[in-house]
């Protein structure tokens, strides 16, 4: 399963890099999940930019246990870094939005990611 994490806000670039490094270095995730920065090519070529803009953190998981470890890692990062950006986490079309400054615990985040509902929409 793939989880995509995007951020929007005043400090979204630095916070996205911080979260990426946090997830990549997490003991529970290291070596068992794939964490990558992915982006999109600019719509129009611009001589001032090089390559893709890295906008999203993509995490590829194989088991529900890894999903639990991911949610714990995200919750720990949010508690330790007082994020100022809105975070959107998406899995299989379900989008969970965590407003800036809101610190959700891992259990609530895990329930939201596991609960897809019949209409495919997240309940947050």
């Amino acid at each position: 399963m793939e989880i995509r994490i995007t951020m929007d806000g005043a400090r979204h670039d630095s916070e996205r890099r911080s979260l990426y490094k946090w997830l990549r270095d997490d003991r529970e995730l290291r070596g068992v999940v794939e964490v990558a920065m992915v982006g999109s090519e600019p719509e129009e070529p611009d001589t001032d930019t090089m390559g893709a803009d890295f906008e999203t953190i993509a995490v590829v998981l194989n088991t529900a246990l890894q999903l639990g470890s991911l949610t714990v890692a995200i919750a720990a990062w949010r508690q330790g870094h007082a994020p100022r950006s809105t975070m959107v986490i998406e899995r299989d079309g379900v989008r969970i939005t965590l407003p800036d400054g809101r610190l959700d615990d891992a259990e609530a985040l895990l329930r939201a990611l596991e609960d897809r509902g019949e209409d495919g929409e997240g309940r947050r």
Side-chain angles (χ1 to χ4, degrees):
M1 84 185 78
E2 182 175 277
I3 309 271
R4 290 189 170 252
I5 304 167
T6 57
M7 294 184 180
D8 185 30
R11 295 182 55 203
H12 70 280
D13 285 334
S14 63
E15 289 180 347
R16 182 175 46 243
R17 285 189 302 271
S18 173
L19 177 60
Y20 167 73
K21 184 176 180 338
W22 181 274
L23 295 176
R24 192 190 64 212
D25 295 344
D26 184 270
R27 288 177 152 180
E28 297 294 319
L29 301 176
R30 193 177 351 173
V32 295
V33 302
E34 182 181 333
V35 180
M37 293 285 279
V38 296
S40 60
E41 293 293 328
E43 290 181 16
E44 295 184 23
D46 184 350
T47 57
D48 295 334
T49 60
M50 297 177 63
D53 291 327
F54 294 106
E55 302 170 341
T56 303
I57 299 170
V59 183
V60 178
L61 311 164
N62 294 316
T63 68
L65 180 61
Q66 293 168 346
L67 180 60
S69 295
L70 174 64
T71 57
V72 168
I74 291 171
W77 179 84
R78 286 180 62 85
Q79 289 175 349
H81 290 83
R84 292 181 177 87
S85 299
T86 298
M87 179 184 290
V88 177
I89 302 170
E90 184 172 357
R91 175 185 171 208
D92 299 332
V94 175
R95 296 171 56 97
I96 298 114
T97 300
L98 302 174
D100 59 320
R102 181 173 166 195
L103 302 176
D104 286 304
D105 66 322
E107 186 177 324
L109 183 57
L110 179 59
R111 279 194 313 270
L113 283 171
E114 288 178 334
D115 182 16
R116 297 183 196 155
E118 290 185 20
D119 61 359
E121 295 294 322
R123 294 188 181 177
R124 293 191 157 219

